[in-house]
Every structure is written in structure tokens, then in C-alpha cells.
Amino acid sequence: KAGVTQTPRYLIKTRGQQVTLSCSPISGHRSVSWYQQTPGQGLQFLFEYFSETQRNKGNFPGRFSGRQFSNSRSEMNVSTLELGDSALYLCASRWDRGGEQFFGPGTRLTVL
Amino acid sequence: DAKTTQPPSMDCAEGRAANLPCNHSTISGNEYVYWYRQIHSQGPQYIIHGLKNNETNEMASLIITEDRKSSTLILPHATLRDTAVYYCIVRDANTGNQFYFGTGTSLTVIP
């Protein structure tokens, strides 16, 4: 069974731009969560989508948004990029509430 | 917020058992203990989880104390590829609460 895939793997943007990251979960998994990882803050939860609905949300500004499609694929969008948004963005999928999450390789975003 | 306490770093000789401790003194009855690890700049990898009984899989063993206030992840024969940051997480699997990652333990396996 294929793992979680994320595209693109690397991205360079400038301040003020917006970016869209994509995540394809493991087949059959209906929950997709997004995390931001920075050296200073560690791994922080952004939000979770289940059946196209946002189920949980972390403490991030409204510039960070996401959505999930009927095939469970998910996208996250960051608008008006700031230098501090430079991070590794990780996507994780699981079948439902219980059980372990499986992570993708991440998208490395650099904001210049 | 993370509900676990782990030592920031540990060393282990290659071929020896690596024992990674985790304190979770405020764990509630419905919360499971999960372990993940993250090799540099890769996505975290699931290792094992348990509720109250000890668990073993092909990667590791998880020993949970009887009062469930602490646990130990055991890598029986550490290799250089086990060098990573190990995260201990407690989570209520029934409510679907999120995985809150703390700072973890940076394990270095020494040749």
C-alpha cells in the first residue's frame, strides 16, 4: 500500500505571496492532518480534515487554511507569506479517530 | 499541550539495547501512549502504542508501568539507522484528540 505523498517537496516563495501544498493520504484513510515544524517551535498541529470537513484546528492565524476533497486528498494554503512561515509542513493520515497517524515526507517551504 | 516529559538527549552503543524513558504522570484512563521517531528532516514514523499492557512489534517494545505514569521504549539492538528524535505522546484514541508532539529525545547511536 502506498504511503502518504506530499507535493511539492521543496518550495521557495517571497514574502506576501501565497502557497498551496498538496497531500494524498494512504488509500482508505479518511482523516488528514497538517503540521508545521520549525526549529524553534517543534511540531505544531495546524488542522485536521475528515470527510471534507475541518474537525480540529490548532492555534494558527487565518492565513492558514485547508480543504479536503471527496477522494480524501487535502490541500493547505498559506496566504500573505511571512518569513516566519518558513518550515517543514507535514501531512498525516489515519483511518478515523483511533489508531496511529502515518506521516508523509513533508514539504520544505522557504520564504525569502 | 504535550503531557509527557522526556530527556532531551541520550547515547547508545551500536548493538546494545536503547531504553528511552517517558513520564506521563497526568495520563487518564482512556489515553494511550504512542511513540514516534523522526529521522532528520523526514516525516515522523510510527513505532508502537499501548494502553496498559506491554507491547512488542518488529521495531520495538513498549513497557508501561502498572500505575501508567511512565513508560519505556526499548530498541533491542540499536543500529546507526536508529539515530533519530523519539517522541512519546499520550492521546485519547476514543475522542480523536490530536497528537501533541513535545520536544522528544534525541537518540544518538554510537559505532
Side-chain angles (χ1 to χ4, degrees), chain B residues 20-31:
Chain B
L20 292 92
C22 180
N23 287 321
H24 30 79
S25 58
T26 61
I27 193 170
S28 66
N30 294 327
E31 289 181 318

Side-chain angles (χ1 to χ4, degrees), chain A residues 37 45 48 56 94 97 101, chain B residues 36 38 44 91 95 98:
Chain A
Q37 186 172 32
F45 169 71
E48 179 195 10
N56 285 301
R94 53 181 166 157
R97 291 183 179 275
Q101 286 188 336
Chain B
Y36 281 77
Q38 187 174 25
R91 174 181 170 268
T95 63
Q98 287 309 306

Side-chain angles (χ1 to χ4, degrees), chain B residues 29 47 70 81 89 106:
Chain B
I47 301 173
S70 65
R81 288 180 294 179
I89 303 157
S106 178

